[in-house]
Amino acid sequence: MELTMKQFKVIFILAAVIGLSACQSKVEYGDATEVETVNENFGSTDLQAIAAKMVDSMLTFPPVVAMTANDRPIIFVDKIKNKTSEHIDTESVTDSISNKLLRSGKFRFIDMTKVDSVRKQLDYQNNSGMVDPSTAINFGRQIGAQFMLYGNLSSIVKQDGSTKDVYYKMTMRLMDLETGLIEWSDEKEIRKVKSKSFLGL
């Protein structure tokens, strides 16, 4: 029995609808701390591992333990420099390390990324004529940082046939701004190896 054009269109539409419903994507919540191995690039698991390692190392280093025993030194964290060939959001790494250190209760922080915004606000309070002078915060009252925490993220990538080896190294240092002395330094290494099967999967 031959199909009419109308019947053919109906069958085509039904097939398209079934095909689309079969290809629908599904979104689910995952565990943010679960090991992420989608590919060999720097990922969330690496970020968490590096942040935890650096904070634990710094907080347990004897000179740092001594300096934070009876005081909460003021530090600022410089953005981690990305020296890899990848686009890596090093601001996320920096934020994770800062948050962990702040939550330890051992340090106080100055956010250098907001200096311009603070300056504009203080200028508004003191020079706009719109703020009651008795409530305005005066210039020159902020407390300076005593230490600077900074670091680099670098990588070495090697490929041999179907095998790709990626080596990451994070190095961080804590500098005394008054003396220029490095009070703490450490590094965290991560190696990832990606191999393809004979099927290319």
Side-chain angles (χ1 to χ4, degrees):
M1 175 177 140
E2 263 185 51
L3 294 174
T4 65
M5 183 58 75
K6 187 174 181 181
Q7 289 172 323
F8 180 78
K9 285 181 180 178
V10 170
I11 292 171
F12 179 79
I13 291 170
L14 285 172
V17 169
I18 292 170
L20 285 173
S21 55
C23 296
Q24 282 183 342
S25 60
K26 183 179 180 183
V27 178
E28 295 178 332
Y29 282 101
D31 183 356
T33 61
E34 186 178 357
V35 175
E36 175 260 317
T37 55
V38 174
N39 56 41
E40 74 279 9
N41 295 333
F42 191 89
S44 60
T45 301
D46 308 314
L47 187 154
Q48 292 164 2
I50 280 179
K53 165 71 165 59
M54 288 302 179
V55 171
D56 289 345
S57 171
M58 186 171 156
L59 292 178
T60 56
F61 189 58
V64 175
V65 172
M67 78 170 65
T68 57
N70 299 306
D71 191 18
R72 293 177 65 207
I74 302 167
I75 70 174
F76 82 88
V77 183
D78 198 19
K79 183 180 177 182
I80 304 297
K81 289 182 173 56
N82 180 12
K83 294 190 173 182
T84 73
S85 58
E86 294 178 43
H87 172 69
I88 296 175
D89 183 8
T90 53
E91 189 170 349
S92 292
V93 183
T94 307
D95 287 345
S96 291
I97 291 169
S98 299
N99 288 338
K100 286 180 181 294
L101 283 172
L102 186 60
R103 289 179 64 83
S104 74
K106 300 290 185 181
F107 295 93
R108 290 176 292 169
F109 282 80
I110 290 175
D111 188 350
M112 294 303 295
T113 65
K114 297 301 179 185
V115 168
D116 286 340
S117 297
V118 171
R119 185 183 293 116
K120 287 177 183 176
Q121 174 59 209
L122 292 181
D123 184 61
Y124 167 76
Q125 290 189 22
N126 287 277
N127 301 316
S128 69
M130 299 179 70
V131 177
D132 183 343
S134 65
T135 64
I137 298 173
N138 296 324
F139 281 101
R141 300 293 299 277
Q142 291 192 10
I143 298 174
Q146 299 163 278
F147 297 92
M148 176 174 72
L149 184 64
Y150 62 100
N152 300 311
L153 178 63
S154 58
S155 68
I156 299 173
V157 180
K158 291 185 178 180
Q159 187 150 6
D160 181 17
S162 61
T163 301
K164 185 176 182 181
D165 183 284
V166 185
Y167 166 82
Y168 295 101
K169 183 171 78 169
M170 166 78 88
T171 304
M172 293 201 75
R173 294 184 174 95
L174 181 69
M175 178 192 287
D176 185 322
L177 291 175
E178 184 177 7
T179 64
L181 294 174
I182 303 300
E183 296 290 351
W184 165 84
S185 180
D186 203 351
E187 60 187 28
K188 167 70 176 175
E189 299 170 305
I190 294 173
R191 169 166 263 117
K192 290 184 170 182
V193 180
K194 179 181 180 182
S195 300
K196 289 185 180 178
S197 70
F198 72 97
L199 294 174
L201 300 173

Short mmCIF file of all heavy atoms in Angstrom, two decimals, residues 23 30 48 73 81 87 95 100 103-104 107-108 118 121-123 136 145 149 156 177 183-184 198 200-201:
data_model
loop_
_atom_site.label_atom_id
_atom_site.label_comp_id
_atom_site.label_asym_id
_atom_site.label_seq_id
_atom_site.Cartn_x
_atom_site.Cartn_y
_atom_site.Cartn_z
N CYS A 23 17.44 12.10 22.05
CA CYS A 23 18.71 12.83 22.14
C CYS A 23 18.70 13.94 23.19
O CYS A 23 19.62 14.73 23.25
CB CYS A 23 19.05 13.44 20.77
SG CYS A 23 19.34 12.22 19.50
N GLY A 30 26.36 16.80 40.59
CA GLY A 30 27.44 15.88 40.90
C GLY A 30 28.12 16.29 42.19
O GLY A 30 27.85 17.36 42.74
N GLN A 48 41.50 21.71 43.95
CA GLN A 48 41.26 21.37 45.36
C GLN A 48 42.50 20.78 46.01
O GLN A 48 42.85 21.12 47.15
CB GLN A 48 40.09 20.38 45.46
CG GLN A 48 38.75 20.99 45.07
CD GLN A 48 37.69 19.92 44.80
OE1 GLN A 48 37.93 18.73 44.94
NE2 GLN A 48 36.51 20.37 44.40
N PRO A 73 48.71 37.80 61.65
CA PRO A 73 49.39 38.67 60.69
C PRO A 73 48.49 39.06 59.52
O PRO A 73 47.60 38.30 59.12
CB PRO A 73 50.57 37.81 60.21
CG PRO A 73 50.76 36.79 61.28
CD PRO A 73 49.40 36.53 61.84
N LYS A 81 50.22 33.30 39.07
CA LYS A 81 50.58 33.52 37.67
C LYS A 81 50.52 32.20 36.90
O LYS A 81 51.07 31.19 37.33
CB LYS A 81 51.98 34.13 37.56
CG LYS A 81 52.04 35.58 38.03
CD LYS A 81 53.43 36.16 37.88
CE LYS A 81 53.43 37.66 38.19
NZ LYS A 81 52.90 37.97 39.52
N HIS A 87 44.61 27.74 29.13
CA HIS A 87 43.86 28.82 29.76
C HIS A 87 43.34 28.28 31.09
O HIS A 87 42.44 27.44 31.12
CB HIS A 87 42.69 29.28 28.89
CG HIS A 87 41.79 30.25 29.59
ND1 HIS A 87 42.18 31.53 29.90
CD2 HIS A 87 40.53 30.10 30.08
CE1 HIS A 87 41.18 32.14 30.54
NE2 HIS A 87 40.17 31.29 30.65
N ASP A 95 41.66 32.27 45.01
CA ASP A 95 40.53 32.44 45.93
C ASP A 95 40.41 31.25 46.89
O ASP A 95 40.12 31.44 48.07
CB ASP A 95 39.22 32.59 45.14
CG ASP A 95 39.11 33.95 44.45
OD1 ASP A 95 39.89 34.86 44.81
OD2 ASP A 95 38.27 34.08 43.55
N LYS A 100 40.70 29.30 52.41
CA LYS A 100 41.15 28.29 53.38
C LYS A 100 42.02 28.93 54.47
O LYS A 100 41.89 28.60 55.66
CB LYS A 100 41.91 27.17 52.67
CG LYS A 100 41.02 26.23 51.88
CD LYS A 100 41.82 25.15 51.19
CE LYS A 100 40.91 24.22 50.38
NZ LYS A 100 39.98 23.45 51.22
N ARG A 103 39.76 31.12 56.76
CA ARG A 103 38.92 30.30 57.63
C ARG A 103 39.72 29.59 58.72
O ARG A 103 39.15 29.11 59.70
CB ARG A 103 38.13 29.28 56.80
CG ARG A 103 37.03 29.93 55.96
CD ARG A 103 36.28 28.90 55.13
NE ARG A 103 35.59 27.96 55.99
CZ ARG A 103 34.39 28.17 56.54
NH1 ARG A 103 33.78 29.34 56.32
NH2 ARG A 103 33.83 27.26 57.30
N SER A 104 41.04 29.53 58.55
CA SER A 104 41.87 28.93 59.59
C SER A 104 41.91 29.80 60.84
O SER A 104 42.25 29.34 61.93
CB SER A 104 43.30 28.73 59.07
OG SER A 104 44.00 29.96 58.98
N PHE A 107 45.12 34.30 60.03
CA PHE A 107 45.55 35.48 59.30
C PHE A 107 44.39 36.45 59.09
O PHE A 107 43.22 36.07 59.12
CB PHE A 107 46.11 35.10 57.92
CG PHE A 107 47.36 34.28 57.98
CD1 PHE A 107 47.30 32.89 57.95
CD2 PHE A 107 48.60 34.89 58.05
CE1 PHE A 107 48.45 32.13 58.00
CE2 PHE A 107 49.76 34.13 58.09
CZ PHE A 107 49.69 32.76 58.07
N ARG A 108 44.76 37.72 58.86
CA ARG A 108 43.82 38.72 58.37
C ARG A 108 44.27 39.11 56.97
O ARG A 108 45.45 39.04 56.65
CB ARG A 108 43.79 39.93 59.30
CG ARG A 108 43.13 39.65 60.65
CD ARG A 108 43.20 40.85 61.57
NE ARG A 108 44.57 41.12 61.99
CZ ARG A 108 44.96 42.23 62.62
NH1 ARG A 108 44.08 43.17 62.88
NH2 ARG A 108 46.22 42.38 62.98
N VAL A 118 37.86 50.92 46.60
CA VAL A 118 37.91 51.55 47.93
C VAL A 118 38.32 53.01 47.81
O VAL A 118 37.75 53.89 48.46
CB VAL A 118 38.89 50.78 48.85
CG1 VAL A 118 39.11 51.55 50.15
CG2 VAL A 118 38.37 49.38 49.14
N GLN A 121 35.44 55.09 46.70
CA GLN A 121 34.46 55.27 47.76
C GLN A 121 34.94 56.29 48.78
O GLN A 121 34.17 57.16 49.22
CB GLN A 121 34.17 53.93 48.44
CG GLN A 121 33.26 54.00 49.65
CD GLN A 121 31.89 54.59 49.36
OE1 GLN A 121 31.27 55.19 50.24
NE2 GLN A 121 31.39 54.44 48.13
N LEU A 122 36.22 56.22 49.16
CA LEU A 122 36.76 57.18 50.12
C LEU A 122 36.77 58.59 49.53
O LEU A 122 36.52 59.58 50.24
CB LEU A 122 38.16 56.78 50.55
CG LEU A 122 38.26 55.50 51.40
CD1 LEU A 122 39.70 55.24 51.79
CD2 LEU A 122 37.39 55.60 52.65
N ASP A 123 37.08 58.70 48.24
CA ASP A 123 37.07 60.00 47.58
C ASP A 123 35.65 60.57 47.58
O ASP A 123 35.44 61.76 47.82
CB ASP A 123 37.58 59.85 46.15
CG ASP A 123 37.69 61.19 45.45
OD1 ASP A 123 38.45 62.05 45.93
OD2 ASP A 123 36.99 61.39 44.42
N ALA A 136 32.25 60.19 57.61
CA ALA A 136 33.15 59.82 56.51
C ALA A 136 34.42 59.17 57.05
O ALA A 136 34.96 59.57 58.08
CB ALA A 136 33.51 61.06 55.70
N ALA A 145 49.57 45.67 54.79
CA ALA A 145 49.88 44.24 54.90
C ALA A 145 51.31 44.05 55.39
O ALA A 145 52.20 44.85 55.11
CB ALA A 145 49.70 43.56 53.55
N LEU A 149 51.64 36.78 49.85
CA LEU A 149 51.65 35.38 49.42
C LEU A 149 51.49 35.38 47.90
O LEU A 149 50.57 35.97 47.37
CB LEU A 149 50.49 34.62 50.08
CG LEU A 149 50.40 33.12 49.81
CD1 LEU A 149 51.61 32.39 50.37
CD2 LEU A 149 49.12 32.56 50.40
N ILE A 156 54.72 21.10 32.05
CA ILE A 156 55.54 20.52 30.99
C ILE A 156 54.66 19.47 30.32
O ILE A 156 54.11 18.58 30.98
CB ILE A 156 56.82 19.86 31.54
CG1 ILE A 156 57.69 20.92 32.23
CG2 ILE A 156 57.59 19.18 30.43
CD1 ILE A 156 58.89 20.33 32.96
N LEU A 177 57.13 41.69 53.94
CA LEU A 177 57.26 42.91 53.14
C LEU A 177 58.25 43.91 53.74
O LEU A 177 58.83 44.73 53.02
CB LEU A 177 55.89 43.58 52.98
CG LEU A 177 54.88 42.82 52.11
CD1 LEU A 177 53.53 43.52 52.13
CD2 LEU A 177 55.39 42.69 50.69
N GLU A 183 59.52 33.72 54.20
CA GLU A 183 59.26 33.03 55.46
C GLU A 183 58.77 31.59 55.27
O GLU A 183 58.86 30.77 56.18
CB GLU A 183 58.24 33.81 56.29
CG GLU A 183 58.69 35.19 56.72
CD GLU A 183 59.79 35.15 57.77
OE1 GLU A 183 60.08 34.06 58.30
OE2 GLU A 183 60.38 36.21 58.05
N TRP A 184 58.23 31.33 54.07
CA TRP A 184 57.74 29.97 53.77
C TRP A 184 57.70 29.79 52.27
O TRP A 184 57.46 30.74 51.51
CB TRP A 184 56.34 29.77 54.35
CG TRP A 184 55.62 28.57 53.81
CD1 TRP A 184 55.72 27.27 54.25
CD2 TRP A 184 54.69 28.54 52.72
NE1 TRP A 184 54.92 26.45 53.50
CE2 TRP A 184 54.28 27.20 52.55
CE3 TRP A 184 54.18 29.51 51.86
CZ2 TRP A 184 53.37 26.81 51.56
CZ3 TRP A 184 53.29 29.12 50.88
CH2 TRP A 184 52.88 27.81 50.75
N PHE A 198 43.84 1.20 20.91
CA PHE A 198 44.04 1.00 19.46
C PHE A 198 42.83 1.40 18.65
O PHE A 198 42.92 1.60 17.44
CB PHE A 198 44.40 -0.48 19.20
CG PHE A 198 43.25 -1.44 19.38
CD1 PHE A 198 42.50 -1.87 18.30
CD2 PHE A 198 42.93 -1.91 20.65
CE1 PHE A 198 41.44 -2.75 18.47
CE2 PHE A 198 41.88 -2.79 20.83
CZ PHE A 198 41.13 -3.20 19.74
N GLY A 200 41.37 4.20 19.30
CA GLY A 200 41.38 5.66 19.33
C GLY A 200 40.47 6.24 20.37
O GLY A 200 40.12 7.41 20.34
N LEU A 201 40.02 5.40 21.33
CA LEU A 201 39.08 5.86 22.37
C LEU A 201 39.83 6.18 23.64
O LEU A 201 40.90 5.66 23.89
CB LEU A 201 38.03 4.77 22.61
CG LEU A 201 37.17 4.39 21.41
CD1 LEU A 201 36.31 3.20 21.75
CD2 LEU A 201 36.34 5.56 20.94
#
